[in-house]
Amino acid sequence: QVQLQESGPGLVRPSETLSLTCAVSGYSISSGYYWGWIRQSPGKGLEWIGNINHSGTTYYTPSLKSRVAISVDTSRNQFSLKLSSVTATDTALYYCARLVWYEVLIDYSNAGYFQLWGQGTLVTVSS
Amino acid sequence: DIQMTQSPSSLSASVGDRVTITCRANQSISSYLNWYQQKPGKAPKLLIYLASTLQSGVPSRFSGSGSGTDFTLTINTLQPEDFATYFCQQSYNTPLTFGQGTKVEVK
């Protein structure tokens, strides 16, 4: 049974860097799929942040791209999120997920859907 | 970005009812549309992918249809465990975007 578990600080100071890790059990990241992050807040709803595969290929949402870095550690079977220069608007429930990722046949773009989710972790940005 | 709009935002229904939720994209997304169910305090769960394919383990009372810009999630014979919030998500291009959700409440 594949499981994803987020971990990291629940409180981050404004202007600092939010760091979260997602540990994957029951499946080797090296075997395939993409692995990503989504956040959910009352004001913005569900927001895709970005994802990565085992070889380090990443996709990020443009609105956060300048502040986001997603990395993978296949030896530990986990992947991580770093979001820099946080403000109160980054306060949200953060989820990690496994994605089915593919090339869209019509225009050869890449996209996907979220097949499995972690339970989520609340991150509050406050001084 | 592709905007996804769900309707209604909430609905009241009874056990045994047939429920229909609509999701509309502001441009054609072919069949690249997915549905999720979220219960309070839980992560979303994939129900249907690519408009109409039922995810493994999801009861057959859930079904999806549509293509282009208009999509529908139908729950036949609503069960007590189906009271939840449902989201659509387009997987046509990035950034991946979600609808705002439809809450199915007890009448």
Side-chain angles (χ1 to χ4, degrees):
Chain A
Q1 179 182 352
V2 183
Q3 292 186 320
L4 293 85
Q5 179 67 60
E6 305 89 348
S7 62
L11 179 65
V12 182
R13 306 299 182 191
S15 79
E16 295 188 346
T17 297
L18 179 161
S19 296
L20 296 175
T21 296
C22 182
V24 180
S25 59
Y27 186 86
S28 171
I29 286 179
S30 298
S31 295
Y33 290 100
Y34 269 74
W35 307 86
W37 294 92
I38 311 98
R39 65 184 184 181
Q40 185 174 30
S41 61
K44 294 185 180 180
L46 286 162
E47 181 180 20
W48 170 65
I49 299 171
N51 40 270
I52 192 168
N53 69 358
H54 68 280
S55 63
T57 301
T58 54
Y59 295 84
Y60 297 128
T61 193
S63 63
L64 297 175
K65 190 173 184 178
S66 63
R67 298 195 290 131
V68 169
I70 297 176
S71 59
V72 65
D73 185 342
T74 54
S75 65
R76 295 185 176 184
N77 214 40
Q78 63 186 34
F79 59 103
S80 299
L81 168 71
K82 290 190 184 297
L83 180 65
S84 63
S85 305
V86 298
T87 69
T89 60
D90 295 309
T91 294
L93 189 54
Y94 284 76
Y95 294 102
C96 61
R98 185 172 83 175
L99 292 92
V100 174
W101 199 250
Y102 47 74
E103 184 178 89
V104 174
L105 297 177
I106 296 172
D107 62 1
Y108 308 104
S109 61
N110 293 97
Y113 57 87
F114 307 92
Q115 190 183 61
L116 286 172
W117 297 62
Q119 65 183 28
T121 188
L122 179 63
V123 178
T124 301
V125 178
S126 175
S127 55
Chain B
D1 300 5
I2 297 175
Q3 307 301 318
M4 307 302 296
T5 304
Q6 290 182 232
S7 60
S9 296
S10 65
L11 63 90
S12 298
S14 301
V15 172
D17 284 354
R18 184 178 190 225
V19 168
T20 299
I21 298 168
T22 296
C23 179
R24 176 167 289 175
N26 68 347
Q27 69 176 74
S28 177
I29 57 172
S30 185
S31 296
Y32 295 98
L33 189 283
N34 314 290
W35 291 98
Y36 303 85
Q37 175 195 64
Q38 185 176 33
K39 296 181 180 179
K42 300 292 186 181
K45 170 189 170 184
L46 178 66
L47 295 178
I48 289 170
Y49 59 94
L50 299 178
S52 60
T53 303
L54 207 62
Q55 172 68 359
S56 175
V58 174
S60 59
R61 63 180 180 273
F62 291 92
S63 64
S65 64
S67 67
T69 60
D70 295 317
F71 301 86
T72 299
L73 172 68
T74 300
I75 311 172
N76 283 302
T77 316
L78 193 71
Q79 296 299 300
E81 60 269 30
D82 300 336
F83 292 100
T85 300
Y86 294 85
F87 296 93
C88 62
Q89 175 245 328
Q90 64 82 15
S91 54
Y92 181 78
N93 64 16
T94 57
L96 308 177
T97 49
F98 293 83
Q100 81 281 13
T102 295
K103 187 174 184 179
V104 178
E105 300 176 299
V106 178
K107 180 182 283 185

